[in-house]
């Protein structure tokens, strides 16, 4: 699967991918009440959890701040078709109290491929939200090749490429974030487990009356980075399988049809 950064390599004048994220305190408090501390062990390292711990309990604002910081740091990498590597973007408290970001494993590799040496982040808390802004520290030295302008001049009329065939219109709509549901006939009834998953998604997106089997759940934001962790818990509960987030492929949960194939195929056959 293609997981290379979608932005050109860093190094040109003024090139810097900022990342920003906001996390609801109410949302995180609900997750802590429902699932307890174990839920956040999939998102935060033991050291990060220790930084959020008070003498009595986990500090919800601290949890929100680190979650927002990880999201913001991940956004600076400008990658597609890969989940946020929660445990490979580590946000710790420095001796001075400000947050420090450490990139490990796949996150460090993606950063290096983008020409990013490190990421710096700042966190702000309010009663209801935590906000984080991240900025990359770029590699020093000239880029390997000429840096293309962000908005290159259009070619002269005689050099313009031929217009794309109509078949490419679907790809353009998907890249722009436009919902592109295809109503592919189902070959068998929906399994009980998948129906529970679908109901869970519909309960969180009241603007939807239904979800087509091949609607892209990722591109249409029915699953975001925070709900992804809760979604994995749900899949484990209803499929009876243990799921490792680090090895889970995006395409395995991209659509309801894919989820049924990878997690509920046996149930669907029995139905």
């Amino acid at each position: 699967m293609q997981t290379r950064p979608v932005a050109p390599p860093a190094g040109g004048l003024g090139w810097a991918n900022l990342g920003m994220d906001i996390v609801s305190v109410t949302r995180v408090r609900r997750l802590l009440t429902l699932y307890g501390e174990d839920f956040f062990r999939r998102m935060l390292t033991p050291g990060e959890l220790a930084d959020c711990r008070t003498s009595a309990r986990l500090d919800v604002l601290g949890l929100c701040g680190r979650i927002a910081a990880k999201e913001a740091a991940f956004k600076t990498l400008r990658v597609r078709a890969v989940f946020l590597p929660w445990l490979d973007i580590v946000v710790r408290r420095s001796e001075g109290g400000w947050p420090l970001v450490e990139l490990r494993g796949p996150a460090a590799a993606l950063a290096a491929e983008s020409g990013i040496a490190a990421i710096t982040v700042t966190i702000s808390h309010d009663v209801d939200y935590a906000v984080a802004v991240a900025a990359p520290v770029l590699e020093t030295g000239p880029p390997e090749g000429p840096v293309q302008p962000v908005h290159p001049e259009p070619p002269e009329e005689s050099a313009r490429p031929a217009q794309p065939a109509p078949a490419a219109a679907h790809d353009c709509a998907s890249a722009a974030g436009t919902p592109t549901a295809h109503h592919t006939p189902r070959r068998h009834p929906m399994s009980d487990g998948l129906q529970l998953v679908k109901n869970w998604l519909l309960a969180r997106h009241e603007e939807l009356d239904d979800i087509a089997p091949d609607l892209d759940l990722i591109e249409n934001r029915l699953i975001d980075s925070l709900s992804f962790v809760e979604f994995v818990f749900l899949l484990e509960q209803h499929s009876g399988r243990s799921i490792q987030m680090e090895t889970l492929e995006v395409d395995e949960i991209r659509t309801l049809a894919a989820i049924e194939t990878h997690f509920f195929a046996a149930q669907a056959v029995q139905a």
Side-chain angles (χ1 to χ4, degrees):
M1 179 183 298
Q2 179 65 274
T3 59
R4 293 174 60 84
V6 298
L13 180 63
W15 185 265
N17 299 326
L18 296 181
M20 180 178 180
D21 196 69
I22 182 170
V23 173
S24 164
V25 173
T26 301
R27 186 179 182 186
V28 171
R29 183 176 287 115
R30 178 186 67 84
L31 292 171
L32 185 60
T33 301
L34 282 176
Y35 303 110
E37 186 174 324
D38 284 346
F39 178 87
F40 295 95
R41 293 188 188 278
R42 294 198 173 189
M43 306 169 71
L44 305 177
T45 66
E48 290 173 312
L49 286 170
D51 287 345
C52 297
R53 197 179 305 281
T54 67
S55 58
R57 62 187 185 280
L58 282 175
D59 174 42
V60 175
L61 281 178
L63 291 174
C64 292
R66 276 153 185 77
I67 291 169
K70 287 170 180 266
E71 293 257 21
F74 182 63
K75 289 176 180 178
T76 69
L77 302 180
R78 295 293 196 271
V79 294
R80 296 187 64 184
V82 60
F83 292 120
L84 194 164
W86 285 102
L87 299 180
D88 290 324
I89 300 178
V90 182
V91 182
R92 297 297 308 276
R93 182 189 300 123
S94 69
E95 293 183 359
W98 53 83
L100 296 175
V101 178
E102 177 189 356
L103 301 177
R104 302 174 178 175
L110 290 172
E113 197 169 1
S114 288
I116 295 174
I119 296 175
T120 182
V121 67
T122 183
I123 302 172
S124 183
H125 303 91
D126 195 1
V127 175
D128 298 317
Y129 297 95
V131 177
V133 176
V137 178
L138 304 182
E139 296 279 7
T140 58
E144 294 181 359
V147 178
Q148 298 296 324
V150 177
H151 300 290
E153 292 294 329
E156 296 182 4
E157 194 67 31
S158 59
R160 290 183 184 274
Q163 292 298 316
H170 167 67
D171 294 336
C172 295
S174 297
T178 304
T180 54
H182 292 216
H183 299 282
T184 304
R186 301 191 62 83
R187 296 183 179 180
H188 46 69
M190 181 178 294
S191 64
D192 293 340
L194 186 65
Q195 185 64 60
L196 291 170
V197 169
K198 181 178 178 179
N199 293 344
W200 184 87
L201 290 169
L202 287 171
R204 283 154 179 76
H205 298 277
E206 297 180 353
E207 73 280 6
L208 298 178
D209 296 323
D210 195 14
I211 303 174
D214 56 355
L215 178 69
D216 193 317
L217 305 176
I218 308 299
E219 292 292 335
N220 290 286
R221 300 184 182 277
L222 272 66
I223 302 176
D224 59 22
S225 294
L226 184 54
S227 65
F228 163 67
V229 183
E230 188 175 6
F231 190 73
V232 169
F233 267 59
L234 183 78
L235 282 179
E236 288 186 330
Q237 178 182 352
H238 296 311
S239 68
R241 290 177 47 187
S242 177
I243 301 172
Q244 298 298 321
M245 294 197 305
E246 297 78 7
T247 58
L248 184 64
E249 296 285 350
V250 174
D251 286 344
E252 293 178 4
I253 65 166
R254 187 176 291 280
T255 66
L256 289 177
I259 292 169
E260 184 171 75
T261 297
H262 289 93
F263 297 97
F264 300 108
Q267 294 182 15
V269 171
Q270 292 173 4

